[in-house]
Amino acid sequence: MKLKELLAGLEILSSNVNLETEAAQVCYDSRQVKSGDLFVALSGYAVDGHRFIPQAMASGAAAVLCQVPPENGETPYVQVADSRRALAVAGANFFGHPAKDMTMVGVTGTNGKTTSTYLLKAVLEAQGKKVGLIGTNQNMIGEKALPTERTTPESFELQKLFAAMRDAGCTHVVMEVSSHALYLDRVYGVPYAVGVFTNLTQDHLDFHKTMEEYCDAKSILFRNCGTGVVNAGDPWTPRLLKGAACKVVTFSSGGGADLWPEDVLLAEDHVAFTAVHGGDRVPVRVNIPGRFMVDNALGVLGAALALGIPLEESAAVLARVPHVKGRVEVAPTPGKDYTVLIDYAHSPDSLVNVLATVKGFAKGRTIALFGCGGDRDKAKRPKMGRAAAETADLVVVTTDNPRTERPADIIADILPGLQGTGTPYEVIEDRVEAIHWAMDHAQAGDVIVLCGKGHETYQEVGHEKRHMDEREIVADYL
C-alpha cells in the first residue's frame, strides 16, 4: 500500500519521503521489520521506539513514522503529532476499516468484563448473528478460538483481527476494552455502537497512579460510542460520563435506574431475579452464583436492549448459558467431601465478591488461596490480605504471577493486611504446594477458592510463562 493511502486521515507535520512509496507491511517492533516495511516509532509506556529507528532501517524499513524526526537526516520519515494514534489509523487504512462493516460493542470496568462479553455473545448468536469476541480468556471468531496475549491487542493487531472477523462473516464484535487500551489509543477510531461500564474498584494503579486517572481512562469509551450502558450504582459513574456525548442507558441492582431487579434470589449455583424496564417485568436466571452477577446480567440485558433485542429474548438466552471458564468454576473432586472452585478474582473488591458468595452457600469453612501479581499495583496487596481475612475462614497466601519480583517480597506486602484480624492463615510460597496443603487440610463441607489465576493455564516467572493449570493440579493430586 502507498504511504499516502496508509496515512490517509493523518495530519503530517513534516516529511522527507515520497508519499507514493510502497509499504509492504506496518511494523512497530524493530525486531520484526523486514525490507519495505513502514516502521512506526511508538513513544512507549516503558520504552521509546524512537531509539530503535537505526535497527529498523538496518533491517530494510522503507520509511519511519514518528513523533520526533530521526537524528540521521538521511532517514526517510513522516512526522505526526501522536504515533500511537497514527498506528491505529494506519492499521484501519491497511485493513480497509473492518470495524465499520460490523456492529462494535465494548465492555469496560474493573470486574465482570469477561463474563459480560461471553453472555452478550450468546444473546447475539441466538439472534442468528455471527459474533467475534475479544478478551482476557481468548479471542473467538464465531466458535473458533484464538489465543490471546493481553485483554485488548495493540491497535494494528486489533485491526488485523477485526479484518479476520469481517472476512469470516461476523456481523458483531463484542470485546473487553481495558483501561490500558483506551489510554494508549489501541482502540482509537473504533466506532462503538454500544459501550458498557460494569464497575470501578482499585486495580492497575501501578499504571494509572490514581483512581481518578483510572476512571478517566475508562471514560474515553463513552466519548466514542453511540449508546453507553452504565452502572448507575457505581460511585464513579458521574465522573465517567463527564464529557460523554452518547445516549445513556442506566442499570443498577439498587434501583433508581432505567433497568433494575426485583425479587433477587441468590443460590449456590445461580442467581435469579425479575428484570424491570419501563412496563416490562421479565424473569431472569444466570448460571453463575454471586450478587455481583445481578449487575453483570443487568449490564448485558441493557446492552441487548440498546442493540434492539427485547428483554424477554435476551433473558431466555441467559438461562441457557453454561459457566464461563475461570469464573466461580468447579474443579471436580470425585470422592471428596469438600469443593474446589477456581476464580479470576485478583483485586480487593473481586476477592470480597467471590468469597462472600461462597460463604453464603458453603456448609463448612471458606478457604481462600491467593497471591498478588508482581510488577503491578503494590498498594492493593495489603488490601487483598485484609479482604481475604475479613471474608474467609482460613487464608493461604502464595504466589500468583511473580514476574520479575521475588515472591517472598510480594507476600511480605500482603501479610500486613492479615495481621491482627484473628483469621488463621498459612504462607506457602510455591502455589502447587499451597494447593496441595489446602486440599490436605480441607474438612467436610469446606469450599477452597483458588483465586487469581482463573482461566490462565500458566504462571509468569521472570519473563517466562510456565505451564500451570489449576484444574490439572487438583486432578493430579487426587
Side-chain angles (χ1 to χ4, degrees):
M1 181 177 281
K2 292 181 179 180
L3 288 180
K4 70 176 183 181
E5 298 167 340
L6 199 53
L7 306 180
L10 291 173
E11 181 185 357
I12 296 174
L13 302 182
S14 67
S15 174
N16 68 350
V17 64
N18 185 349
L19 296 183
E20 295 292 329
T21 300
E22 289 281 345
Q25 263 289 350
V26 176
C27 194
Y28 57 90
D29 183 339
S30 61
R31 295 166 297 184
Q32 306 298 323
V33 170
K34 293 182 175 61
S35 179
D37 288 353
L38 172 67
F39 174 63
V40 184
L42 298 181
S43 293
Y45 169 59
V47 179
D48 188 350
H50 289 77
R51 289 170 43 197
F52 302 102
I53 290 175
Q55 290 92 316
M57 295 309 300
S59 296
V64 171
L65 184 63
C66 54
Q67 286 178 215
V68 181
E71 292 181 3
N72 182 346
E74 300 300 313
T75 300
Y77 76 91
V78 177
Q79 182 191 14
V80 291
D82 189 321
S83 55
R84 283 196 168 274
R85 291 190 174 186
L87 177 64
V89 171
N93 288 337
F94 190 85
F95 293 105
H97 297 273
K100 291 183 178 180
D101 296 327
M102 300 176 289
T103 300
M104 310 297 298
V105 181
V107 181
T108 198
T110 305
N111 305 315
K113 297 189 295 297
T114 299
T115 300
S116 297
T117 55
Y118 274 82
L119 294 177
L120 189 53
K121 181 176 187 284
V123 169
L124 288 164
E125 287 174 339
Q127 297 285 313
K129 311 298 184 184
K130 186 167 184 178
V131 183
L133 180 140
I134 299 172
T136 306
N137 277 17
Q138 60 187 355
N139 299 327
M140 299 183 74
I141 300 178
E143 294 306 310
K144 180 183 178 183
L146 306 170
T148 180
E149 287 293 319
R150 49 163 68 115
T151 299
T152 314
E154 186 55 80
S155 59
F156 193 79
E157 279 69 35
L158 185 62
Q159 293 294 337
K160 182 179 181 180
L161 186 54
F162 287 160
M165 291 175 172
R166 174 199 60 197
D167 295 347
C170 288
T171 58
H172 291 68
V173 175
V174 180
M175 61 182 292
E176 297 179 47
V177 186
S178 68
S179 56
H180 292 71
L182 288 159
Y183 183 80
L184 295 173
D185 286 318
R186 292 180 195 152
V187 294
Y188 179 75
V190 176
Y192 289 103
V194 177
V196 181
F197 170 63
T198 59
N199 52 57
L200 197 77
T201 61
Q202 183 173 338
D203 204 6
H204 304 305
L205 295 194
D206 55 308
F207 182 86
H208 296 292
K209 307 308 178 189
T210 68
M211 286 296 293
E212 287 76 14
E213 289 182 16
Y214 183 29
C215 179
D216 292 346
K218 297 285 190 188
S219 73
I220 295 170
L221 178 61
F222 300 93
R223 295 198 293 274
N224 295 281
C225 70
T227 301
V229 179
V230 300
N231 186 350
D234 191 282
W236 290 97
T237 296
R239 184 182 181 102
L240 182 93
L241 292 177
K242 196 172 182 180
C246 59
K247 176 184 175 184
V248 175
V249 175
T250 59
F251 65 89
S252 175
S253 58
D258 299 321
L259 180 62
W260 75 94
E262 290 182 350
D263 308 319
V264 176
L265 171 66
L266 304 177
E268 65 179 71
D269 61 348
H270 73 278
V271 297
F273 58 90
T274 299
V276 182
H277 178 259
D280 294 334
R281 299 171 58 82
V282 177
V284 178
R285 174 185 168 122
V286 184
N287 298 313
I288 303 174
R291 177 168 287 279
F292 59 92
M293 272 310 303
V294 176
D295 270 330
N296 287 346
L298 289 171
V300 171
L301 294 170
L305 282 169
L307 293 168
I309 303 171
L311 200 58
E312 299 86 350
E313 294 182 22
S314 52
V317 177
L318 296 190
R320 302 195 298 266
V321 178
H323 233 80
V324 176
K325 185 178 181 181
R327 272 59 180 178
V328 202
E329 176 189 350
V330 177
T333 51
K336 297 297 180 181
D337 53 9
Y338 58 82
T339 301
V340 177
L341 298 177
I342 297 173
D343 194 85
Y344 190 50
H346 62 284
S347 67
D349 182 68
S350 60
L351 202 59
V352 168
N353 282 340
V354 70
L355 294 177
T357 294
V358 170
K359 197 147 191 179
F361 62 74
K363 295 180 175 64
R365 298 172 301 170
T366 297
I367 302 173
L369 182 148
F370 81 101
C372 291
D375 304 331
R376 298 294 188 268
D377 182 8
K378 293 186 178 183
K380 78 175 183 181
R381 293 174 184 173
K383 295 180 181 179
M384 292 277 285
R386 178 68 60 171
E390 291 182 346
T391 319
D393 301 301
L394 172 63
V395 177
V396 183
V397 182
T398 185
T399 54
D400 190 283
N401 290 318
R403 300 184 179 92
T404 65
E405 286 194 68
R406 291 179 63 246
D409 293 341
I410 299 172
I411 290 171
D413 289 339
I414 295 170
L415 293 181
L418 288 145
Q419 291 159 0
T421 63
T423 301
Y425 65 89
E426 190 77 15
V427 176
I428 303 173
E429 185 174 302
D430 183 278
R431 192 171 179 102
V432 176
E433 290 180 14
I435 293 171
H436 292 170
W437 186 92
M439 294 169 70
D440 286 340
H441 289 79
Q443 302 168 4
D446 286 355
V447 180
I448 303 168
V449 190
L450 309 181
C451 302
K453 299 297 291 173
H455 61 281
E456 295 178 354
T457 56
Y458 58 83
Q459 185 176 48
E460 292 184 62
V461 181
H463 297 289
E464 178 187 359
K465 284 187 176 181
R466 301 177 182 174
H467 181 75
M468 175 185 282
D469 188 330
E470 294 183 329
R471 297 150 199 81
E472 295 174 4
I473 292 169
V474 171
D476 290 348
Y477 197 56
L478 291 176

